[in-house]
């Protein structure tokens, strides 16, 4: 039985064996901690020595975004078979397992709006329980001796979008008061992504949680379009897969092949606050579509949004979100 089937049938914990060079432990269902056993221990005091990286790679926070889950399964299989060496502390997170099994984005509410304790603002259900469980697992991971000895932390939360995009593969960096690490930005660029988006406010995403609470270099990676399990062409994500393999193995990143990296900044969020809400663009409008100055993009009772330069680009437009949730982001392109 393949690993994906084992995961979806909740049988993977008892059917996965790693080489003796890797110490494995499950911190929660679908949350696997892997620690390399053949590596010098490094402490924060030993500044002369090479820093130890600690990685978190997550997928399936939205259950219908399946390509990232398949990529994570591929990496997991290679680690178990000894084909991919483990150089760094690694936490693999399969996010919303009931939603994956149901082929749905979520069961009750959007899990990626609940982190940082925001699950307390939602009724008790599948996602609120899972957000609590994942936060607890992350806390346990960061209390591991080897992880506490690290000096560099990264979290890559893999997603796919529900619509087409002018930039098929892009990263969203959570808002943070500290500077973004130059080597992390360089890794994102070397990974052959098409664009980068900087958030302007705090949020309830998984990547914002690790950035805010553990000072992790975090991002949400949007790598393509959401499709059901078995319908993904994983060769379309070979750049991401290779970049993750090199990161896990401690290898330098490859050189960029695609055209120049585009950068954007979030200027405003369109929040649906009333049932009268209307988004005045076609359903198939792509992410990063440029809209004309003065265009009335959305309105609801007592509120409207117009396109005002330089925020001419729309990201994640979706009129069908629940009241209180984001129906789109307005971006400006950075030079």
């Amino acid at each position: 039985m393949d690993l994906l089937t084992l995961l979806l049938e909740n049988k993977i914990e008892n059917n996965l064996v790693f080489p003796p060079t890797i110490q494995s432990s499950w911190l929660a269902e679908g949350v696997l901690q892997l620690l390399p056993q053949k590596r010098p221990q490094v402490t924060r005091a030993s500044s002369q020595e090479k820093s130890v990286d600690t990685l978190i790679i997550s997928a399936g926070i939205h259950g219908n975004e399946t390509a990232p889950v398949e990529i994570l399964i591929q990496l997991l299989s290679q680690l178990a078979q000894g084909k991919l060496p483990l150089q760094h502390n690694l936490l693999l997170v399969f996010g919303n397992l009931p939603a994956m099994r149901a082929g749905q984005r979520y069961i009750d509410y959007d899990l990626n709006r609940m982190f940082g304790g925001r699950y307390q603002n939602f009724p008790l259900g599948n996602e609120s329980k899972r957000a609590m469980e994942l936060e607890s697992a992350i806390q346990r991971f960061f209390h591991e001796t080897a992880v506490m000895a690290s000096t560099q932390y990264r979290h890559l939360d893999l997603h796919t979008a529900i619509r087409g995009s002018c930039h098929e593969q892009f990263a969203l960096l959570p808002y943070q008061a500290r500077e973004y690490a130059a080597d992390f930005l360089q890794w994102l660029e070397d990974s052959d992504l098409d664009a980068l988006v900087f958030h302007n406010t705090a949020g309830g995403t998984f990547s914002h949680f690790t950035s805010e609470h553990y000072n992790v270099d975090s991002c949400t990676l949007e790598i393509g379009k959401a499709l059901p399990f078995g319908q993904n062409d994983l060769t379309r994500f070979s750049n991401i897969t290779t970049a993750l393999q090199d990161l896990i193995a401690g290898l330098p990143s490859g050189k960029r092949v695609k055209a120049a990296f585009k950068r954007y900044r979030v200027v405003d969020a369109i929040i649906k606050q009333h049932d009268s809400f209307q988004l005045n663009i076609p359903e198939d409008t792509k992410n990063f579509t440029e809209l004309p100055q003065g265009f009335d993009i959305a309105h609801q009772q007592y509120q409207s949004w117009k396109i005002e330069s330089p925020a001419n680009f729309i990201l994640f437009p979706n009129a069908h979100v629940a009241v209180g949730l984001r129906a789109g982001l307005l971006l400006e392109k950075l030079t």
Side-chain angles (χ1 to χ4, degrees):
M1 192 178 292
D2 66 273
L3 290 183
L4 179 59
T5 302
L6 289 171
L7 176 73
L8 296 177
E9 294 184 359
N10 196 19
K11 298 176 181 177
I12 196 168
E13 289 192 26
N14 298 322
N15 290 275
L16 193 59
V17 179
F18 291 92
T21 54
I22 298 176
Q23 177 192 355
S24 66
S25 56
W26 293 91
L27 303 188
E29 185 186 1
V31 183
L32 178 61
Q33 173 182 284
L34 301 174
L35 304 177
Q37 295 304 287
K38 289 187 177 181
R39 186 193 61 202
Q41 290 297 310
V42 179
T43 64
R44 294 185 185 279
S46 57
S47 57
Q48 300 290 323
E49 301 179 53
K50 182 181 178 182
S51 64
V52 179
D53 281 347
T54 289
L55 309 174
I56 303 171
I57 306 176
S58 52
I61 295 296
H62 293 136
N64 64 335
E65 299 175 8
T66 60
V69 176
E70 293 180 19
I71 290 171
L72 215 56
I73 285 289
Q74 187 179 95
L75 297 174
L76 183 55
S77 176
Q78 292 168 345
L79 286 162
Q81 295 173 42
K83 295 179 179 178
L84 178 60
L86 179 63
Q87 177 65 27
H88 307 304
N89 309 314
L90 178 63
L91 189 71
L92 299 179
V93 179
F94 295 94
N96 196 337
L97 291 162
M100 285 185 220
R101 292 161 185 153
Q104 299 174 186
R105 184 174 175 84
Y106 51 79
I107 300 299
D108 299 311
Y109 299 94
D110 192 333
L111 176 58
N112 214 29
R113 302 292 180 268
M114 294 189 176
F115 291 99
R118 292 171 178 83
Y119 54 82
Q120 298 172 75
N121 301 327
F122 291 82
L124 190 63
N126 175 69
E127 280 77 23
S128 55
K129 291 178 182 177
R130 185 58 168 170
M132 194 186 320
E133 185 175 47
L134 290 181
E135 288 193 12
S136 177
I138 294 292
Q139 184 180 43
R140 285 183 59 192
F141 180 61
F142 277 98
H143 277 86
E144 280 287 336
T145 302
V147 175
M148 291 175 68
S150 297
T151 56
Q152 236 181 33
Y153 308 94
R154 289 183 184 177
H155 175 201
L156 305 166
D157 186 29
L158 276 60
H159 288 252
T160 51
I162 60 175
R163 64 179 62 245
S165 180
C166 298
H167 303 307
E168 184 178 27
Q169 297 183 340
F170 57 97
L172 297 107
L173 290 175
Y175 170 78
Q176 58 187 46
R178 66 187 188 277
E179 287 189 18
Y180 296 98
D183 59 344
F184 184 48
L185 298 180
Q186 188 63 53
W187 182 85
L188 292 169
E189 187 164 359
D190 291 342
S191 301
D192 253 0
L193 298 175
D194 301 305
L196 186 61
V197 177
F198 295 87
H199 271 292
N200 65 341
T201 57
T205 65
F206 198 17
S207 60
H208 185 91
F209 168 70
T210 54
S211 170
E212 180 181 25
H213 291 268
Y214 297 96
N215 289 325
V216 176
D217 294 327
S218 304
C219 76
T220 300
L221 276 179
E222 298 280 356
I223 63 172
K225 193 168 183 184
L227 293 169
F229 282 119
Q231 295 185 23
N232 296 296
D233 178 5
L234 294 186
T235 62
R236 295 183 62 85
F237 316 114
S238 59
N239 59 316
I240 299 297
T241 304
T242 299
L244 293 174
Q245 289 168 333
D246 290 345
L247 199 56
I248 290 169
L251 299 174
S253 56
K255 296 299 180 183
R256 185 171 182 83
V257 175
K258 291 182 179 178
F261 202 41
K262 301 292 190 293
R263 298 190 183 205
Y264 298 83
R265 182 178 70 88
V266 176
V267 174
D268 196 9
I270 300 172
I271 307 297
K272 181 177 179 178
Q273 299 284 18
H274 193 270
D275 289 335
S276 64
F277 179 84
Q278 185 169 337
L279 195 60
N280 303 321
I281 53 176
E283 290 276 343
D284 60 353
T285 299
K286 292 182 178 181
N287 286 324
F288 299 98
T289 292
E290 185 173 5
L291 299 168
Q293 172 75 9
F295 177 68
D296 182 9
I297 186 171
H299 63 266
Q300 59 191 357
Q301 189 177 38
Y302 309 124
Q303 189 175 19
S304 64
W305 288 264
K306 289 185 182 293
I307 297 299
E308 297 181 4
S309 293
N312 290 88
F313 300 84
I314 184 70
L315 181 63
F316 302 139
N318 184 1
H320 306 295
V321 297
V323 170
L325 295 185
R326 181 191 72 200
L329 294 172
L330 297 176
L331 314 177
E332 68 167 313
K333 183 184 286 187
L334 304 177
T335 56

